[in-house]
Amino acid sequence: MMAVIRSAVYILLFYTISVFFVVTAFFAQWFSIPLMQWAVRGWSRWQYACYRRILGIDIKIEGELPQKPVLYAIKHESMFETIDMPRMFRKPAVVTKKELFDIPLWGPAARAYGMIPVDRNGGAAALRSMLILAKKMIADGRPIVIFPEGTRVAPGSQPPLQSGFAGLYKLINLPVVPIAVNSGTLSPRKAGIWKSGTITYKVGEELPTGLPRAEIEARVHAAINALNV
């Protein structure tokens, strides 16, 4: 019963206050980029606070995050880590499916912030477009974040990596830091009942540039699924 009450309070408070951050980011994109970035990071911190204070969920990081631009390859089990990225990293450019950019208010603000849309069915043209944006973000000193399995998956699932990951890795010439996360055990993929406990990010070994496709995919796949073993 307590989990049900906590989840109901979370939904009410998190989504109500989220409107403020999303609307602020949307309008700020035209007159104050720093304000827009503050709103995005504020929304991320708001979710973090709600998880800890309302849902009784702690978040811990095992390992060290590098203080330089890298390509972060992260497991994706719930909405939690999507929103949590601006809190974890300094102005991350997150590669995400282009359909999300059609969401009113959120979509234009996300594009202005530096999110990178990817068209899974766009082929070489889509990869080139993604590459142009990624290189622009790297030039600004921003890390790139990708969820290489392509979509949210259930805890324990280990689908193969999407082909776009290897292409991006090869073309942007950045080392890869894979990160496992077990958010799906506590945070439902869709609205539902959250459980209290601990969400863990497990930072894997930094992988150098220039590895063969088969090797980089195998090592990343193993690292992001380290908490599923």
Side-chain angles (χ1 to χ4, degrees):
M1 179 60 71
M2 182 58 67
V4 174
I5 295 173
R6 284 177 168 176
S7 297
V9 173
Y10 168 78
I11 291 171
L12 176 63
L13 291 181
F14 173 70
Y15 285 101
T16 299
I17 302 301
S18 289
V19 173
F20 164 76
F21 288 113
V22 173
V23 170
T24 300
F26 174 76
F27 286 106
Q29 66 181 297
W30 289 301
F31 64 87
S32 176
I33 295 301
L35 177 59
M36 180 200 65
Q37 294 172 343
W38 172 87
V40 172
R41 187 169 177 81
W43 187 37
S44 184
R45 288 175 169 174
W46 171 239
Q47 180 194 235
Y48 178 77
C50 287
Y51 264 59
R52 294 192 64 201
R53 303 300 183 185
I54 299 174
L55 296 174
I57 296 175
D58 291 324
I59 295 94
K60 70 175 184 177
I61 299 175
E62 294 182 354
E64 296 295 327
L65 297 172
Q67 301 300 310
K68 62 181 180 180
V70 296
L71 174 60
Y72 287 105
I74 303 177
K75 186 75 176 180
H76 189 15
E77 291 189 350
S78 75
M79 187 177 72
F80 168 76
E81 57 268 10
T82 306
I83 300 176
D84 199 41
M85 294 298 96
R87 181 192 68 85
M88 283 188 64
F89 309 121
R90 179 184 174 274
K91 295 190 295 184
V94 182
V95 178
T96 189
K97 58 185 180 181
K98 72 178 184 64
E99 292 82 1
L100 294 179
F101 291 81
D102 296 329
I103 299 175
L105 298 181
W106 187 92
R111 192 179 297 274
Y113 178 78
M115 301 273 282
I116 302 174
V118 58
D119 183 354
R120 297 172 185 169
N121 301 314
L127 182 59
R128 285 195 297 270
S129 177
M130 183 171 63
L131 177 63
I132 291 171
L133 285 174
K135 286 188 172 180
K136 181 178 182 297
M137 299 303 144
I138 295 167
D140 290 338
R142 299 173 65 172
I144 307 298
V145 174
I146 189 170
F147 301 110
E149 290 173 333
T151 188
R152 284 179 288 181
V153 300
S157 298
Q158 300 185 24
L161 306 189
Q162 296 289 306
S163 59
F165 164 73
L168 185 64
Y169 163 75
K170 178 181 178 180
L171 294 172
I172 65 175
N173 198 37
L174 282 181
V176 176
V177 175
I179 300 178
V181 61
N182 61 354
S183 59
T185 59
L186 303 178
S187 180
R189 294 179 64 193
K190 297 180 180 180
I193 306 302
W194 282 258
K195 302 174 183 177
S196 59
T198 300
I199 291 176
T200 300
Y201 289 105
K202 185 177 179 62
V203 183
E205 174 188 3
E206 182 178 315
L207 304 176
T209 61
L211 295 178
R213 176 171 180 168
E215 180 177 355
I216 189 64
E217 287 187 339
R219 293 177 69 176
V220 166
H221 189 265
I224 67 173
N225 287 291
L227 294 174
N228 288 327
V229 177

